[in-house]
Amino acid sequence: MRKRTEPVTLEHERCAASGSSSSGSAAAALDADCSLKQNLRLAGKGTAEPHSASDAGMKRALGRRKSLWFRLRKILLCVLGFYIAIPFLVKLCPGIQAKLIFLNFVRVPYFIDLKKPQDQGLNHTCNYYLQPEDDVTIGVWHTIPSVWWKNAQGKDQMWYEDALASNHAIILYLHGNAGTRGGDHRVELYKVLSSLGYHVVTFDYRGWGDSVGTPSERGMTYDALHVFDWIKARSGDNPVYIWGHSLGTGVATNLVRRLCERETPPDALILESPFTNIREEAKSHPFSVANIPILPWL
């Protein structure tokens, strides 16, 4: 009996041992699988964070670009709307049209004292104030020929007025729109004309610079006529030339027409950058080219 049962017992022991070893290996494999899945999960979480951060950065960048484009488009639309609206405002409000033509509210250069032409390098120039009408005062500059600049130092207004009777021609300069009689390019012209031996008398129309009054075509012509008469009353037989620039050419031609009507014409008329009429001037202006097709009144 022992001999017969012994192999069975050994077999059972081997099976139990093999079973226990197989179950142990299965458990080890299961544990390894679980740890692998856990490692994969951790690895997945670790790699997801950089992706989410980069995605957020890209969203912020796109948001900034959209915001910038929205602002730029808004600015462009506002500029376009303003550009289109100007002609209709000019048509509906004649006062705006006068402001755009005269531009007397643009006072350049800024922060200069028109009472002191010496600050602009004109050390032989005197500042006057004349009164064409009761409620109008205009500022005038009188620059003598440069050969007298030493004699002019410290002299008063009466000395300058008497100097007009000297044997030198006189130029009455009528400036264009915008700015004042102290504009940089105008001052340079006074210096050139003075160096050539001319008296130069210039002024700001009513409403320009420090001149008092409201600008208008009639008022500007009357201011020029008053200054011309003031010069002729002091210059004797010396020739007087009228020089108009840009908008001043319109004033100059109106002035000469008035002088010819009363048979006291000037000795010469000089027109610099003249225009035929405001309609043609507006058509040739670069800012109005795009608006011409939609402006039937031009």
Side-chain angles (χ1 to χ4, degrees):
M1 289 297 290
R2 289 181 180 175
K3 289 181 182 181
R4 291 180 180 177
T5 57
E6 183 176 356
V8 176
T9 303
L10 292 174
E11 186 67 24
H12 281 295
E13 289 178 355
R14 291 194 191 95
C15 289
S18 61
S20 61
S21 63
S22 61
S23 62
S25 62
L30 183 60
D31 292 340
D33 187 36
C34 291
S35 62
L36 180 61
K37 289 181 179 179
Q38 187 175 3
N39 292 333
L40 289 175
R41 289 195 191 98
L42 292 175
K45 289 181 180 180
T47 56
E49 288 179 357
H51 282 295
S52 61
S54 62
D55 291 343
M58 291 179 62
K59 289 180 180 179
R60 284 194 297 269
L62 290 175
R64 292 194 196 98
R65 291 180 183 177
K66 289 181 179 179
S67 177
L68 181 61
W69 168 243
F70 177 77
R71 293 177 183 175
L72 182 60
R73 184 173 58 180
K74 188 176 180 180
I75 293 173
L76 291 176
L77 289 175
C78 290
V79 171
L80 181 61
F82 183 72
Y83 181 73
I84 295 175
I86 285 179
F88 296 98
L89 291 174
V90 170
K91 178 64 176 178
L92 297 175
C93 303
I96 297 179
Q97 182 178 1
K99 288 288 186 182
L100 292 176
I101 292 174
F102 297 143
L103 293 178
N104 58 301
F105 57 91
V106 180
R107 180 175 174 173
V108 290
Y110 295 97
F111 311 116
I112 68 169
D113 189 356
L114 294 173
K115 297 179 181 178
K116 299 178 180 179
Q118 296 80 10
D119 294 344
Q120 309 306 311
L122 296 172
N123 56 2
H124 51 297
T125 300
C126 186
N127 180 68
Y128 309 148
Y129 287 100
L130 304 180
Q131 194 169 9
E133 296 177 346
D134 293 337
D135 56 346
V136 176
T137 303
I138 58 175
V140 182
W141 279 1
H142 173 200
T143 302
I144 63 171
S146 59
V147 294
W148 290 354
W149 74 269
K150 289 184 179 180
N151 297 331
Q153 303 309 306
K155 297 299 191 296
D156 59 5
Q157 179 176 337
M158 292 301 299
W159 185 89
Y160 276 86
E161 290 185 19
D162 294 338
L164 289 171
S166 63
N167 191 20
H168 291 274
I170 303 161
I171 294 178
L172 173 58
Y173 180 76
L174 306 174
H175 66 69
N177 62 355
T180 66
R181 63 188 184 274
D184 294 336
H185 62 291
R186 293 164 186 164
V187 169
E188 294 302 317
L189 178 61
Y190 309 155
K191 293 179 180 179
V192 171
L193 296 177
S194 174
S195 66
L196 295 176
Y198 294 100
H199 290 274
V200 181
V201 178
T202 186
F203 67 96
D204 282 324
Y205 316 104
R206 60 185 70 187
W208 271 261
D210 57 353
S211 298
V212 178
T214 302
S216 65
E217 181 180 352
R218 185 205 68 83
M220 295 165 66
T221 303
Y222 191 80
D223 294 343
L225 181 61
H226 181 80
V227 176
F228 180 85
D229 290 339
W230 179 86
I231 293 172
K232 290 298 292 183
R234 291 158 177 80
S235 62
D237 295 331
N238 288 339
V240 179
Y241 308 140
I242 297 176
W243 184 318
H245 171 243
S246 188
L247 183 66
T249 61
V251 181
T253 51
N254 274 344
L255 172 60
V256 172
R257 179 177 60 83
R258 292 282 298 273
L259 294 175
C260 291
E261 287 174 356
R262 71 179 193 183
E263 298 182 354
T264 57
D267 294 277
L269 172 63
I270 303 168
L271 300 180
E272 179 186 1
S273 301
F275 59 95
T276 53
N277 54 58
I278 293 298
R279 186 188 300 269
E280 295 298 328
E281 178 71 12
K283 285 184 178 181
S284 62
H285 199 281
F287 289 159
S288 61
V289 171
N291 282 322
I292 292 301
I294 62 174
L295 302 181
W297 54 84
L298 286 180

